[in-house]
Amino acid sequence: MTLTDLNNGFRDDEQRRRVQRVVHDRLADDRDPQECRFLMRFWWQLVMSYQEVSMDELSLNVGKPKLDVIEALISAIRSSHADIDAWITTTQQVFPLVQDRGFRAAQDNER
């Protein structure tokens, strides 16, 4: 399944940015660098019309709970704007905010 059509499935740029924030802030955890790398490639895929990441790559590199959420998002994008809004709400309820350890370490080094 190609993911190059995802950027066209949003109501507007604000809805796309909200989805990207959820992927970044709640799914892409830098404690698992490999998974985080592929989730961030998916994050980019949401705005790109070329292939940044494939479903096969996501399947190989993203854990089952998060992969299920990504698959639900893809279905929502291809279904309706209301389904995307529901995905945002549900994902925010299920996944807590990720603490960006790399950013925090960089800030600590500046002090």
Side-chain angles (χ1 to χ4, degrees), residues 8-50:
N8 297 318
F10 298 99
R11 176 185 311 113
D12 52 27
D13 286 341
E14 178 54 31
Q15 187 180 49
R16 180 193 40 79
R17 283 190 295 269
R18 286 177 56 218
V19 167
Q20 284 186 294
R21 276 192 302 272
V22 171
V23 171
H24 178 273
D25 295 349
R26 297 183 183 264
L27 300 179
D29 189 339
D30 65 357
R31 288 178 293 182
D32 185 340
Q34 185 72 358
E35 180 180 77
C36 184
R37 181 177 306 111
F38 281 88
L39 286 168
M40 291 308 295
R41 288 179 65 193
F42 179 76
W43 180 88
W44 276 109
Q45 188 68 63
L46 296 173
V47 291
M48 300 299 172
S49 59
Y50 61 84

